[in-house]
Amino acid sequence: MAKKYISRDEALLRMQRYCAYQDRCHQETRRKLLDLGIYGDDLEEIMAQLVEDQFLDEERFARAFARGKFQIKSWGRIKILQELKARQISAYCQRKALEEIDEDAYRERLDQYLRSKLTEGKDGLSDFEQQQKAAQFALRRGFEPELVWDTLRQIFRKD
């Protein structure tokens, strides 16, 4: 079955609604336009119009993305950066996005994760094995290796 033709104006209206619903990156928006059957100059004109009307803003998207992934999913900086790179966000916007993460809250979240992993996995494991298990968990969440090991050293000095 052939796709129904969609006019440029209708596509612009749909994309305005799409971008107003939640912040989108250029890559997502471009993919959506291609799915709608919009190509070439029409696609570029719609993208330019969305940017001009402030429906699309990569920096705003990157900041919201980083803030949300840290606060809700508790991702570390490395994982957030990987996802932003996968979405082809500029290096400038990536730096701005990481500014949204409060350093004290970041370290506190890492400390909480490590402590919870250490108390959860005490079933006959040595201190070394517990540390390895907790560190692997934090590294998978995207926290920096140096910060993970420094935090683990601090925890084991206190205990």
Side-chain angles (χ1 to χ4, degrees):
M1 186 171 164
K3 277 189 174 181
K4 181 182 167 191
Y5 176 75
I6 176 173
S7 71
R8 183 192 173 288
D9 291 335
E10 186 182 344
L12 177 62
L13 188 61
R14 279 191 188 183
M15 295 314 297
Q16 286 173 339
R17 284 193 303 256
Y18 179 71
C19 294
Y21 178 71
Q22 80 180 39
D23 281 324
R24 309 283 181 175
C25 67
H26 288 226
Q27 181 187 32
E28 288 174 319
T29 307
R30 188 174 299 277
R31 189 177 302 125
K32 182 73 170 178
L33 280 166
L34 291 171
D35 289 346
L36 290 174
I38 305 297
Y39 306 99
D41 290 340
D42 284 344
L43 184 141
E44 296 306 325
E45 288 172 13
I46 291 172
M47 291 291 291
Q49 188 67 45
L50 291 170
V51 170
E52 186 179 313
D53 295 341
Q54 296 182 348
F55 282 97
L56 267 182
D57 184 340
E58 287 244 310
E59 184 178 337
R60 185 180 63 211
F61 167 79
R63 285 176 177 271
F65 182 86
R67 199 173 37 248
K69 294 302 181 188
F70 172 67
Q71 291 175 352
I72 296 168
K73 293 201 171 198
S74 300
W75 285 5
R77 289 187 193 112
I78 293 173
K79 191 166 184 175
I80 291 170
L81 275 177
Q82 287 173 339
E83 286 297 316
L84 288 172
K85 285 177 186 174
R87 287 173 168 76
Q88 300 173 347
I89 304 298
S90 70
Y92 170 80
C93 290
Q94 291 174 24
R95 283 191 305 275
K96 289 296 186 181
L98 293 182
E99 290 175 5
E100 291 294 311
I101 300 172
D102 178 58
E103 186 64 29
D104 294 334
Y106 189 76
R107 289 178 181 273
E108 180 63 30
R109 179 76 47 94
L110 174 60
D111 187 74
Q112 288 172 353
Y113 266 132
L114 291 173
R115 286 182 187 279
S116 73
K117 244 343 182 190
L118 289 169
T119 57
E120 164 186 310
K122 284 198 175 195
D123 46 342
L125 298 176
S126 69
D127 283 353
F128 176 76
E129 291 170 324
Q130 286 180 27
Q131 285 181 21
Q132 288 292 323
K133 196 172 184 181
Q136 287 303 313
F137 174 76
L139 293 172
R140 280 192 306 273
R141 303 291 293 175
F143 289 92
E144 297 88 336
E146 310 82 40
L147 192 57
V148 169
W149 290 110
D150 287 345
T151 306
L152 277 169
R153 278 187 222 101
Q154 289 174 0
I155 290 171
F156 273 84
R157 272 190 218 124
K158 291 178 186 175
D159 292 346

